[in-house]
Amino acid sequence: MKKVLTLLAAAGLATFSYAIKAPTHHSLRAESMGNAHVAVVDDKEAIYFNYAGLNQINRLGNYDKRPEQGYYPRNLIGDMRINIGGAGPFEKYFSTYNDVKDLTALYQRVEKAGGGTDALLDSISHHPELMHTLNSYDHKRLDMSIKMDAEMAFHNFGGAIWVSGGIAPFLDGGLIIPFMTVDTFYVDAVAQAGISYGFTDKLSVGIGGKIAKRQKEEAIVIGIQNYETLQDTLEDRYHQAADDLLDLNSISIGMDIGVLYQVNREFRVGASLRDIYFKELAGDKIVPNFTMGFCYSPRFFNKNTAFGRKFNIAVDYADAFFSDRNYKPLTHLNFGFEAEQNILAWPGYNNELRALTLRVAGGFKGGYPTAGVALEVLRLVTFELATWGEERGYYTGQDEERVYMAELSLGF
């Protein structure tokens, strides 16, 4: 029994998380400030939130030519990055490890007492605190997510190729037999590109296309009774997945559109309609994501010298058409702030030759707090940490899962 429990715990810790919605790219800059980003979009993140923001690249801060544009030009040419990151609810991993130890001790006592249901119930009666452990262990999800991106963005053009994948397992201590269920294994692969056009110095629009493929397999139950046949089951699923991987009929085509308006140097508004897929994605009907919001960059806190400073406050009403968790007003409301400061730089180059930059951010995403920090070195290497909450229940505030993600980026 101890070996089985250890196997279940190890399998859970090595797996990933699953989301039914459209393929989702997690931008740590955006997630750390509550994912309120549809009107911020002053760099490569415009690819994922609002293509109209591509028009801002290499325009912000040029007050001689465009006095109504915002602050802090970020790049001399554009953004080109390769990113790799991973995330998971680490506190749940630790608590599950302790639960596994308690349950292992419980089943050891049962085995010494001769085994069987009567021995198990007798052991629980002498240790009633273990009922809480059993209840907390039941249907405990052990999620982890990974992401890999290759992206580039220039003035009025941007594109990316990215992959995310996961499994949604849950462990069940069971009153008699423990088991693990993998609800669905999936891998999302997306290639997308888009353009923007500035009708005036204040108004820009963007449009982009994407192709996406989702590979997923259905539930697998792993328990004592089917443990011997598990290898054959996994091999069959592997061959099925390999055959489906090259099936072009499972590829879906979609598009994104967006608009951005610079009201004045400090304030801009934006809206985007994303994930407009023209057919189901691996059997999933994707609901388009309509988001609108604003970004406020107070002049007092921003500076465009070599030791530049950027301060943004943003609010979004996000994913307005998605109503599965629409029981609370905060479900769709995202808001946050970010503060970015050049710590080391070469004076006289107006932020173009910064050596060390620190960014901190915070906010609320769907009612749950978010936070993040990023450190950029020589404009080539960036390390980011972010945390946010995701709702696993039916409405905001029912069942939060705290996610922690780290990402390493290389490029300029």
Side-chain angles (χ1 to χ4, degrees), residues 73-326:
R74 291 187 51 85
N75 291 86
L76 180 62
I77 300 175
D79 281 344
M80 289 182 284
R81 291 276 177 178
I82 296 176
N83 314 311
I84 183 168
F90 292 105
E91 61 221 354
K92 188 175 289 188
Y93 296 160
F94 299 140
S95 67
T96 299
Y97 173 75
N98 292 327
D99 288 347
V100 168
K101 290 197 302 182
D102 292 341
L103 288 174
T104 299
L106 169 65
Y107 285 111
Q108 286 176 340
R109 288 192 294 269
V110 171
E111 290 177 353
K112 290 180 180 180
T117 304
D118 293 338
L120 177 61
L121 294 176
D122 184 65
S123 180
I124 292 177
S125 67
H126 287 85
H127 299 276
E129 72 278 1
L130 290 177
M131 282 304 300
H132 175 72
T133 300
L134 278 171
N135 291 333
S136 68
Y137 194 72
D138 285 353
H139 286 72
K140 174 168 284 191
R141 297 169 59 98
L142 297 174
D143 297 348
M144 186 183 294
S145 62
I146 59 173
K147 58 171 292 191
M148 293 178 289
D149 320 320
E151 52 197 13
M152 63 178 182
F154 306 97
H155 179 61
N156 285 337
F157 174 79
I161 299 174
W162 53 277
V163 177
S164 64
I167 293 178
F170 64 81
L171 302 180
D172 197 322
L175 191 58
I176 306 298
I177 300 176
F179 63 90
M180 182 181 79
T181 298
V182 177
D183 281 343
T184 308
F185 166 81
Y186 86 99
V187 175
D188 285 334
V190 179
Q192 61 182 104
I195 60 174
S196 65
Y197 180 77
F199 286 95
T200 69
D201 284 346
K202 293 185 176 184
L203 176 65
S204 61
V205 298
I207 186 170
K210 61 176 66 174
I211 57 175
K213 182 175 177 62
R214 172 172 289 173
Q215 179 65 45
K216 67 178 183 179
E217 299 298 325
E218 298 305 323
I220 301 175
V221 178
I222 304 172
I224 296 176
Q225 295 175 333
N226 72 334
Y227 177 72
E228 297 297 332
T229 62
L230 177 60
Q231 183 175 354
D232 292 336
T233 301
L234 293 178
E235 287 182 355
D236 292 340
R237 295 295 177 90
Y238 168 77
H239 291 301
Q240 180 181 350
D243 292 339
D244 293 343
L245 188 62
L246 300 178
D247 182 12
L248 298 181
N249 291 327
S250 62
I251 293 178
S252 184
I253 299 176
M255 64 178 295
D256 305 327
I257 56 177
V259 61
L260 194 68
Y261 185 74
Q262 189 83 35
V263 179
N264 54 46
R265 187 183 293 188
E266 298 176 307
F267 191 83
R268 59 179 173 266
V269 296
S272 68
L273 182 61
R274 311 191 299 274
D275 299 325
I276 309 171
Y277 285 98
F278 300 109
K279 69 174 185 178
E280 292 184 345
L281 189 61
D284 296 329
K285 185 177 181 180
I286 304 300
V287 178
N289 180 340
F290 177 68
T291 299
M292 53 187 175
F294 69 85
C295 174
Y296 175 58
S297 305
R299 183 176 303 191
F300 177 79
F301 292 108
N302 288 269
K303 185 169 64 172
N304 278 348
T305 65
F307 292 91
R309 184 189 311 115
K310 177 165 59 179
F311 187 85
N312 290 324
I313 301 171
V315 177
D316 280 7
Y317 188 82
D319 215 356
F321 297 155
F322 192 77
S323 59
D324 280 9
R325 298 189 179 106
N326 198 26

Side-chain angles (χ1 to χ4, degrees), residues 375-395:
L375 187 66
E376 179 193 79
V377 181
L378 296 175
R379 304 195 63 168
L380 298 177
V381 180
T382 304
F383 181 70
E384 297 182 72
L385 293 171
T387 179
W388 65 91
E390 293 186 351
E391 181 58 60
R392 297 300 186 185
Y394 293 102
Y395 56 84

Side-chain angles (χ1 to χ4, degrees), residues 3-22:
K3 292 182 178 179
V4 173
L5 287 171
T6 303
L7 172 66
L8 297 183
L13 292 174
T15 52
F16 309 99
S17 65
Y18 175 71
I20 298 176
K21 297 172 66 175

Side-chain angles (χ1 to χ4, degrees), residues 18-40:
Y18 175 71
I20 298 176
K21 297 172 66 175
T24 302
H25 178 274
H26 291 290
S27 160
L28 267 64
R29 180 189 173 195
E31 293 283 5
S32 63
M33 57 183 301
N35 219 39
H37 221 68
V38 73
V40 179

Side-chain angles (χ1 to χ4, degrees), residues 42-44 53-60 77-78 153-155:
D42 57 3
D43 62 0
K44 59 185 176 57
L54 295 171
N55 187 253
Q56 294 191 98
I57 295 178
N58 296 329
R59 294 184 59 170
L60 295 186
I77 300 175
F154 306 97
H155 179 61

